[in-house]
Amino acid sequence: MNNKVIVITTGGTIAMSESMESQGVKPQDPQALQSALPLLNQYAKVEMDHLFNKPSPHITPADMFLIAERVKEHLDRGAKGIVITHGTDTLEETAYFLHLVLDTDRPVIVTGAMRSSNELGADGPVNMVNSVRVAAHEQSPGRGVMVVFNDEIHTARDVTKTHTSNVATFQSPGLGPVGLVTKKEIRFFRDSVKEPRFPLAMPSHQVALIKVAAGMDDSLIAWAVERGFDGIVLEALGQGNLPPAMLPGLKRALASEIPVVLVSRCFNGSVQDTYEYEGGGKQLKELGLIFSNGINGQKARIKLMLALSKTKDATELQSYFQY
């Protein structure tokens, strides 16, 4: 029986160590995680593939594409599952990118660490072990890309980083984890949401993400239009509402056929066309904004980048954001 799990390392805190002199954490040996192999091989036949060694703020959509390509290569060679080690700051974006472009039922797990390898209470080793266990588990196939962290299993669609330093930083607001990792077993509670897949291609569309706050005008939207962005994601207020002063720039973007996706800056719930006042969700819906169903701004940006590779039609784009 095939029991091969590939661990693809891409950097992040899990592969870093703290300098005793400067007390700063930074990348060290790109093969630092190789020492964990004896632990991992207790649960599967594990091979490591050191792709690159980047802090997660350095990760770009182009890097996400390279990770996806490498995952596909290993799956095409027959790997039972994949574990990707990644920095936590942009981990949810890479996980969601992979979820949207990988057309496979085999498990792909993304994990990392909040504490570097030589810090007290380093969480990297246990996260790696648990990720390999989930990747090799008989109930993991068909669930899409998952994030394993702090003994919990989350879907790539729902998970987000909620704390700057706590090891329990990854949560799925409103839903909770899809499963748990105990010392003796893997438990799944619910299925993952199925979403349309997009072509695995190098992202070529620029999408601006603009967070809305009280009293904002349309200057940032106007800037995005002038700079030639292909799409805009607005993190709106509440159920999906904007200050009225943002409307002129918004109308200009729509007139320029730049798709605008609306999400809420709240971390629970989804946007709705409820309010009929100027700048309210009902007016925005009538103007032609694309309402997203519960994902956050950074993930909506990733999805719009990928969706634009297929279409610029507003109706078709809206259909992708129903999931």
Side-chain angles (χ1 to χ4, degrees), residues 58-80:
H58 296 191
I59 296 289
T60 66
D63 293 323
M64 297 175 196
F65 167 73
L66 295 177
I67 296 170
E69 272 201 323
R70 189 63 64 90
V71 170
K72 186 176 184 300
E73 289 174 12
H74 286 297
L75 292 176
D76 288 345
R77 294 185 190 128
K80 181 177 182 178

Side-chain angles (χ1 to χ4, degrees), residues 234 236 239-242 260-264 271 281 284 289-292:
L234 293 177
Q239 290 187 38
N241 311 303
L242 300 176
V260 181
V261 173
L262 195 72
V263 303
S264 177
V271 289
L284 301 180
L289 268 69
I290 298 163
F291 278 47
S292 184

Side-chain angles (χ1 to χ4, degrees), residues 43-150:
Y43 304 99
K45 183 181 177 182
V46 176
E47 294 180 7
M48 284 205 173
D49 178 3
H50 303 290
L51 182 57
F52 39 70
N53 191 27
K54 293 187 176 186
S56 58
H58 296 191
I59 296 289
T60 66
D63 293 323
M64 297 175 196
F65 167 73
L66 295 177
I67 296 170
E69 272 201 323
R70 189 63 64 90
V71 170
K72 186 176 184 300
E73 289 174 12
H74 286 297
L75 292 176
D76 288 345
R77 294 185 190 128
K80 181 177 182 178
I82 306 290
V83 172
I84 299 154
T85 62
H86 194 288
T88 59
D89 286 351
T90 58
L91 184 150
E92 65 192 86
E93 288 156 270
T94 295
Y96 195 53
F97 182 99
L98 298 173
H99 179 69
L100 293 175
V101 301
L102 292 174
D103 188 12
T104 181
D105 284 336
R106 278 172 282 177
V108 176
I109 312 300
V110 188
T111 193
M114 294 299 290
R115 296 172 181 161
S116 59
S117 59
N118 62 341
E119 286 186 76
L120 188 64
D123 53 331
V126 69
N127 286 339
M128 287 181 67
V129 166
N130 286 344
S131 295
V132 168
R133 290 175 61 198
V134 174
H137 196 266
E138 60 183 9
Q139 293 183 20
S140 293
R143 296 180 181 274
V145 176
M146 294 176 282
V147 171
V148 173
F149 223 94
N150 197 43

Side-chain angles (χ1 to χ4, degrees), residues 4-5 8 10 12-13 18 23 26 38-39 43 51 62 70 78 88 152 157 171 186 218 221 235-236 241 253 298:
K4 181 184 286 187
V5 172
I8 301 173
T10 69
T13 300
E18 183 178 19
Q23 295 187 327
K26 61 183 180 180
L39 280 174
Y43 304 99
L51 182 57
R70 189 63 64 90
T88 59
E152 294 181 341
R157 180 191 183 277
Q171 303 292 327
I186 311 294
D218 66 347
I221 299 175
E235 278 194 11
N241 311 303
Q298 54 267 36

